[in-house]
Amino acid sequence: MSDQLQLSAAQFDLVYNAFSFVIASMGASLLFFLLIRERVHPKHRMAVTISTLVVGIALYHYLRIFTSWEEAFTFTDGVYVQDGVPFNEAYRYVDWFLTVPLLLAELVVVLKLAPSVTRTLLVRLTIAAVLMIGLGWPGELAAADSVERTVWGAASTVPFLYILWVLFVQLKRSLDRQSAGMRRLVDALRWVLLLSWGVYPLAYIAPMVMADPVAAEVARQVGYSVADVIAKPVFGMLILGIALLKSKDEPARESDDLHEELEAFGE
Ligand code: RET
């Protein structure tokens, strides 16, 4: 995007530390989801498995983003000049291509709706997610004040709004059959999703609405980073909460394990 940006040490470090914070959050939640999975009834483990994959994929991408950020700048005369290898923005979009459909699948799978409803939701949400990211990408490459950035951004907003509509309007209907505790958790989940997903388009338009291109770049990187922590580990924790709540309604785990062991011996 903008070449030869000059960042103060504080601005450079803010982004650097934001990436570091994301790496720590993804790594810690990866471990946590792995350690806790035994506590979730096997019937509801799939959602937790998907959360584990999501934070694992993000951990990898943030390690690469972090290195790319370091390599893009040199420290000269007290400022960080962006004269190194171009910062690779694509890691973020590649990450979303994998993680956004997975996050949506996580949400749909944990609800345990009728198989036909689950299938339809998964297909529609995945297509919309791929369109949203694919249409946003050319705009991200375009200059801050270009018509392209506005047009691609607007095009990407269409599938984005469709996803929100499915989650808020359509899913609400299928929630009526769930328990009160579940409904509260799912409601919290949808708000966390709305609040974190809403940050992405804001980070995207930062270079278009902020006069200072350096401040805009810092806002964009920090915005995407914070949103990623809420959309992946925090969202994953709520999904885990739902899976644990549902596990309580299943037969005791010990007998289940015993049953599985007996089955393994052909009993
Ligand atoms: C773009 C382009 C501008 C318009 C819109 C966008 C939306 C992006 C979103 C991304 C969500 C990513 C998540 C990642 C977590 O793993 C592509 C920035 C609407 C909503 C949830």
Side-chain angles (χ1 to χ4, degrees):
M1 259 189 30
S2 24
D3 288 321
Q4 294 282 334
L5 283 185
Q6 289 196 9
L7 274 67
S8 69
Q11 287 169 323
F12 177 86
D13 286 343
L14 188 60
V15 176
Y16 183 92
N17 292 325
F19 292 161
S20 176
F21 167 78
V22 180
I23 292 172
S25 311
M26 298 298 171
S29 41
L30 176 66
L31 271 179
F32 182 73
F33 292 145
L34 284 173
L35 293 171
I36 201 109
R37 61 176 286 114
E38 287 302 312
R39 297 236 206 130
V40 180
H41 191 278
K43 257 185 161 177
H44 305 291
R45 236 173 243 168
M46 181 52 98
V48 181
T49 303
I50 302 178
S51 294
T52 316
L53 294 181
V54 166
V55 292
I57 294 167
L59 173 64
Y60 161 74
H61 281 124
Y62 269 92
L63 288 170
R64 304 301 299 249
I65 290 174
F66 189 72
T67 311
S68 179
W69 182 254
E70 276 186 302
E71 288 175 346
F73 293 85
T74 51
F75 190 60
T76 322
D77 298 329
V79 287
Y80 281 93
V81 185
Q82 193 173 10
D83 58 359
V85 194
F87 177 60
N88 189 352
E89 200 66 55
Y91 286 130
R92 218 177 263 299
Y93 278 74
V94 174
D95 181 81
W96 296 346
F97 266 126
L98 289 165
T99 55
V100 175
L102 286 173
L103 283 168
L104 292 167
E106 196 177 310
L107 172 63
V108 172
V109 163
V110 85
L111 294 177
K112 285 248 179 292
L113 307 168
S116 62
V117 179
T118 301
R119 221 179 4 255
T120 316
L121 278 175
L122 283 181
V123 171
R124 287 186 187 167
L125 290 172
T126 303
I127 293 174
V130 168
L131 281 175
M132 175 183 82
I133 301 158
L135 292 169
W137 172 236
E140 194 75 82
L141 294 177
D145 53 0
S146 62
V147 181
E148 284 93 332
R149 198 173 176 93
T150 311
V151 172
W152 288 112
S156 163
T157 305
V158 177
F160 174 63
L161 293 177
Y162 172 76
I163 295 175
L164 295 183
W165 175 75
V166 170
L167 295 183
F168 272 76
V169 182
Q170 289 219 309
L171 220 60
K172 184 107 193 136
R173 285 186 219 133
S174 35
L175 282 184
D176 295 342
R177 287 176 291 114
Q178 316 258 356
S179 72
M182 263 291 292
R183 272 210 299 271
R184 255 199 315 278
L185 261 177
V186 175
D187 227 41
L189 194 74
R190 289 189 310 164
W191 284 106
V192 165
L193 193 136
L194 182 67
L195 287 179
S196 58
W197 287 42
V199 176
Y200 294 94
L202 293 180
Y204 177 92
I205 61 169
M208 300 153 85
V209 295
M210 289 173 70
D212 176 2
V214 172
E217 178 62 3
V218 173
R220 200 165 64 88
Q221 297 303 336
V222 174
Y224 281 148
S225 302
V226 172
D228 271 346
V229 170
I230 304 174
K232 293 170 172 125
V234 175
F235 185 79
M237 293 292 281
L238 283 168
I239 293 279
L240 173 69
I242 294 180
L244 286 171
L245 197 70
K246 290 199 166 206
S247 299
K248 276 207 280 185
D249 300 335
E250 303 293 343
R253 274 194 51 240
E254 283 75 11
S255 59
D256 252 27
D257 288 351
L258 185 64
H259 186 71
E260 275 166 23
E261 269 161 34
L262 288 174
E263 267 185 353
F265 282 102
E267 294 285 322

